[in-house]
Amino acid sequence: MRTCLFFFILVLASCATSPMGRNQLLLVDSRQMDQLGAQSFQEMKKQSKIDNSRSANAYVRCIADQLLYAVGENPQSWEVKVFVDDSLNAFALPGRKIGVHTGMLNFAKSQHQLAAVIGHEIGHVKAQHGNERVSQTMVTQLGLQATEIYLGKEDRQKNNLILAGLGLGAQFGVLLPFSRKHEVEADLLGVEYMSKAGFDPNGAVELWENMQKSSKSSVPEFFSTHPSNRSRILALQKEIKKYQPIYLAINEKPNCRR
């Protein structure tokens, strides 16, 4: 009973709202998340090869700085690195860290497409999606433990089946859908940021159209942590109509060149 009471008090005391107005559960102190992000980034720098070429770093830094200015951040307080890795990946971490893989750097065909990627990743950090994911996992584990205590030790085989079902339900009913919500939210935030920074929001659609052409994955969206490329494209096309005027109204647009 005490475990359940603590569980519900913890949940009620940790409610927050995302930049898109969605209710969130944040159980971890933001300073602790910053420390975890900084530690993870430090490990990445030790274990992964860093691209120190002036052209690549100046290009990525130019785009990142414009995006950070647009969201009210001081770019000088953010560490930005290019990692030698062929995978199509980029990331931003709590603690003001941004990493871009050379694979993504080569895949994005314009400053606008790369701005969509980096803006998306900054959106994850600004919306505290990392904290939310950690918190969801914590609550899921607490919930399963509380259920196990309630069920007791009789009929262990039956109890294990129930717990397995709850775990499966948590995975496909909560954790994966919330991850997809995070991706959609970061997509939309990224379009907002890039438009305010003077990057053409159409670059986001172009990026995902290219992703769709090159994708070999056949995993149904229901079983995926990410929305399908098609779903992302449709959502972005709808959102662009709102932000295109903001982009067009900016007189001095970025000219980031590699």
Side-chain angles (χ1 to χ4, degrees), residues 194-201 242-254:
M194 66 187 294
S195 301
K196 291 179 177 179
F199 296 105
D200 187 350
K242 186 196 321 184
Y243 289 106
Q244 190 74 17
I246 295 175
Y247 161 69
L248 293 174
I250 295 176
N251 294 323
E252 295 186 11
K253 295 181 172 62

Side-chain angles (χ1 to χ4, degrees), residues 86-157:
D86 291 335
S87 62
L88 302 183
N89 195 26
F91 58 88
L93 297 173
R96 299 182 176 89
K97 310 295 181 183
I98 293 174
V100 177
H101 289 188
T102 51
M104 180 59 78
L105 187 60
N106 295 326
F107 182 82
K109 303 305 180 185
S110 69
Q111 63 172 356
H112 310 291
Q113 291 187 21
L114 190 58
V117 175
I118 299 176
H120 170 101
E121 298 304 329
I122 294 173
H124 277 309
V125 173
K126 298 293 285 184
Q128 300 191 76
H129 289 159
N131 192 336
E132 194 173 3
R133 288 287 291 164
V134 171
S135 301
Q136 290 164 4
T137 301
M138 291 170 61
V139 168
T140 299
Q141 292 301 319
L142 282 171
L144 292 175
Q145 290 172 12
T147 303
E148 187 171 16
I149 292 171
Y150 174 77
L151 291 172
K153 296 182 179 180
E154 295 181 4
D155 197 354
R156 175 63 64 180
Q157 185 175 1

Side-chain angles (χ1 to χ4, degrees), residues 170-199:
Q171 179 72 359
F172 292 111
V174 179
L175 299 183
L176 289 184
F178 263 100
S179 182
R180 289 195 291 274
K181 282 185 180 180
H182 291 168
E183 290 300 312
V184 171
E185 198 166 69
D187 278 349
L188 302 185
L189 288 171
V191 170
E192 176 186 345
Y193 299 162
M194 66 187 294
S195 301
K196 291 179 177 179
F199 296 105

Side-chain angles (χ1 to χ4, degrees), residues 31-124:
R31 289 170 297 182
Q32 187 176 0
M33 289 299 299
D34 286 348
Q35 291 173 357
L36 291 171
Q39 290 171 5
S40 298
F41 199 70
Q42 192 64 27
E43 287 300 314
M44 290 177 192
K45 290 192 294 182
K46 290 179 181 178
Q47 298 174 10
S48 304
K49 184 178 179 181
I50 297 175
D51 184 342
N52 290 313
S53 64
R54 178 179 293 184
S55 61
N57 282 272
Y59 180 54
V60 172
R61 185 87 233 192
C62 176
I63 294 171
D65 285 359
Q66 294 297 322
L67 290 165
L68 291 168
Y69 277 128
V71 298
E73 291 281 337
N74 176 9
Q76 298 305 313
S77 66
W78 284 70
E79 184 177 6
V80 180
K81 293 291 183 183
V82 178
F83 292 94
V84 179
D85 192 313
D86 291 335
S87 62
L88 302 183
N89 195 26
F91 58 88
L93 297 173
R96 299 182 176 89
K97 310 295 181 183
I98 293 174
V100 177
H101 289 188
T102 51
M104 180 59 78
L105 187 60
N106 295 326
F107 182 82
K109 303 305 180 185
S110 69
Q111 63 172 356
H112 310 291
Q113 291 187 21
L114 190 58
V117 175
I118 299 176
H120 170 101
E121 298 304 329
I122 294 173
H124 277 309

